[in-house]
Amino acid sequence: MDPRIDFLYLSEPDMIAAGVLDAKRCVEVCEETFALLGKGDYLMGGANHNNHGMNIVFPKETKFPNMPVAGPDRRFAAMPGYLGGRFDVCGNKWYGSNHANIEKGLPRSILTMMLNDKETGAPLALMSANLLSAARTGGVPGAAARHLVNKGAKVVSVVGCGPINKACFTAIMTQLEGVEKVVCFDLFLDKANEFARWVQGEYGVGAVGVDDTEAGFRDADVITVAASRLRPLYFEDEWIKQGATILVSGPFNTDESFLTSARIVYDHTALQEAYVEDAIASGNKEAYYSGVIGGPFFRLIDAGKLPALKDSTSLGDVVNGAKPGRADLKERVIFIACGMAVFDISWGFELLQNARARGIGQSLNLWERPHQG
C-alpha cells in the first residue's frame, strides 16, 4: 500500500468556484442530510453522539498575561461528526469567534473545515468554511420551508438583517414561488433598508426596511429569525397570523401561549436532548437555557407544558414521512435550528466532489512516507 498522503486545499475563491453559493443545491443536500439524521446514520461529538460541539470560553479574568479574556461572542469551537449514506465521511469544523474582529475589517467568525477518511483518519480536504457554514445554516431552514411552509405564501419577513439571515433568506426563497413582499427588520434601520434594497435588486419584489419589532412579525406568512445576540428578541403571540411559519436560526423569546399552541418541529430532537443534558451538567439550567436557541422550549418542557423531546417531531421525521409536518393551512408552525456538524460535512463533501471534478484547488502533501510507523 502506498503510504503517501495528499489532500486538497480549497481557498474561499476555490469554494465559490466549486459551488458553495448554490443555495438551491445546498437545500437539497441539507434535505438529504435530514433524511440520514432521521434514520440515525450519523455520529456527532460527546458520549451521546449528539453534541453540538466543544467550546473554549475564555474567563473574565486571568493571571496569565497572554491568555485571552471574555468578550462579546469570543470563543473557539470544534464541531466533529460522521455522516453516512453516500457521504460516508468524517469531518470537523473549527472556528474562532470574536465580535471585535469587525473593528479589524474581519468577519466575526473565521472558520475552516477538514474532511477525513473514516478508516485511516487521513485528511481528504482542508477548506475555507465561512461561506460553507453560512450556506448550510441557510440550507437548513430552506429544507424546513420545503416541508412546512404553505405553498401560497406571499409575505416573507426577515428578522435580523445580517449575513446569516441573508443566507437563510436566499435558501428559503429557492422554495417559494409566489412572494410579493419582503419585510426587513433590524434594530438598526440603515441595515434593514440596505437589506431591503438588496432584496429588490436581487429578486425584483417589493421590500421595506423597518426597526419596529411588531412590524417585523405581523401579517407575514414566513418569518426567518436570525437576530443579534447582543439584544434579546421578543415577539408576541398576537402578531403571528394563522398559517404562518417561523423558521428560527437565532435566539428569541415569545409568549407561552404561542409556543403551546403552535406546531413545533425541531431540527433534531436528539441534539436538543444533548443541550438539556449539558444544561443539567452545568449546575445552572436557567442560565444555560438563556444562552441557547432552544431555551424557551426547554423551560416549558420542564414545566410539563410541552411534550418531552423524545415525543416531539424532528424535521428528519417529516422528510422521511414518519411524522406529519404541517397539519392544515391555518396551523402556525415554528421550526428551530441549532446547527449540527453533519450539515457542514455533507455540504463540504458535495463541494469537494465538485472541486475534484472541475480541477479546483491545490493538492498538498502530508508526507511521502510517515517518519514514525
Side-chain angles (χ1 to χ4, degrees):
M1 179 177 177
D2 185 359
R4 177 188 173 99
I5 292 179
D6 296 309
F7 62 97
L8 197 62
Y9 168 69
L10 297 170
S11 67
E12 183 167 272
D14 292 334
M15 295 292 281
I16 293 171
V20 71
L21 301 179
D22 185 346
K24 185 174 185 296
R25 180 57 185 154
C26 185
V27 169
E28 293 168 351
V29 172
C30 286
E31 183 182 45
E32 188 178 356
T33 308
F34 274 118
L36 292 170
L37 283 168
K39 295 173 183 175
D41 193 4
Y42 75 97
L43 296 168
M44 292 191 292
N48 53 27
H49 304 305
N50 280 293
N51 237 286
H52 174 266
M54 178 172 285
N55 290 300
I56 299 173
V57 180
F58 298 109
K60 293 181 179 178
E61 298 178 354
T62 176
K63 64 181 180 180
F64 303 103
N66 294 325
M67 181 181 287
V69 294
D73 222 0
R74 190 173 194 181
R75 66 192 184 280
F76 280 88
M79 296 173 62
Y82 162 80
L83 185 63
R86 71 178 175 91
F87 306 99
D88 197 27
V89 70
C90 289
N92 181 59
K93 183 171 76 174
W94 171 247
Y95 71 90
S97 178
N98 188 349
H99 192 267
N101 281 357
I102 296 169
E103 300 169 6
K104 302 176 181 178
L106 294 170
R108 184 203 65 191
S109 299
I110 298 175
L111 305 92
T112 53
M113 182 75 195
M114 178 68 81
L115 295 177
N116 297 80
D117 183 273
K118 67 170 185 179
E119 298 289 347
T120 66
L124 301 174
L126 172 64
M127 54 186 71
S128 171
N130 278 52
L131 296 178
L132 179 149
S133 186
R136 71 83 171 154
T137 299
V140 165
R146 174 177 287 191
H147 291 271
L148 303 177
V149 169
N150 280 324
K151 299 305 179 187
K154 290 180 170 57
V155 180
V156 177
S157 181
V158 179
V159 177
C161 294
I164 293 301
N165 224 0
K166 181 175 280 190
C168 293
F169 175 78
T170 301
I172 291 165
M173 286 293 282
T174 68
Q175 305 304 307
L176 306 180
E177 296 181 353
V179 174
E180 297 175 356
K181 180 182 178 181
V182 178
V183 178
C184 309
F185 164 78
D186 199 275
L187 294 173
F188 303 98
L189 187 56
D190 58 339
K191 287 184 64 177
N193 287 332
E194 180 184 355
F195 200 101
R197 287 191 295 271
W198 173 79
V199 170
Q200 289 173 328
E202 191 75 14
Y203 295 94
V205 299
V208 58
V210 300
D211 59 359
D212 174 69
T213 311
E214 182 175 349
F217 284 87
R218 192 177 284 277
D219 298 325
D221 298 306
V222 184
I223 304 165
T224 171
V225 177
S228 170
R229 294 177 180 270
L230 299 180
R231 179 173 166 182
L233 171 72
Y234 194 98
F235 65 86
E236 297 183 17
D237 185 347
E238 65 171 24
W239 299 348
I240 310 303
K241 66 182 287 188
Q242 284 188 336
T245 304
I246 304 182
L247 305 167
V248 177
S249 304
F252 77 100
N253 215 325
T254 186
D255 299 335
E256 179 180 309
S257 57
F258 174 74
L259 293 183
T260 53
S261 62
R263 179 179 291 267
I264 300 168
V265 178
Y266 298 92
D267 51 1
H268 193 49
T269 54
L271 170 75
Q272 307 300 331
E273 288 177 314
Y275 273 114
V276 174
E277 289 178 17
D278 286 347
I280 294 169
S282 75
N284 188 340
K285 280 205 300 185
E286 180 54 37
Y288 191 94
Y289 285 173
S290 297
V292 296
I293 298 173
F297 302 91
F298 303 156
R299 292 187 186 97
L300 293 175
I301 292 170
D302 287 348
K305 297 179 179 180
L306 283 179
L309 287 164
K310 65 181 178 64
D311 300 319
S312 301
T313 300
S314 298
L315 188 59
D317 299 327
V318 178
V319 170
N320 291 334
K323 292 184 179 180
R326 169 177 291 282
D328 55 55
L329 294 176
K330 292 184 177 180
E331 186 174 43
R332 299 184 300 176
V333 178
I334 185 166
F335 169 74
I336 177 170
C338 292
M340 285 175 274
V342 289
F343 291 97
D344 299 287
I345 291 170
S346 61
W347 190 225
F349 180 86
E350 178 83 2
L351 296 170
L352 173 59
Q353 298 299 95
N354 290 348
R356 286 171 169 169
R358 300 173 191 175
I360 297 167
Q362 179 181 354
S363 180
L364 300 178
N365 178 251
L366 189 70
W367 59 54
E368 296 289 342
R369 182 179 296 274
H371 183 72
Q372 293 180 324

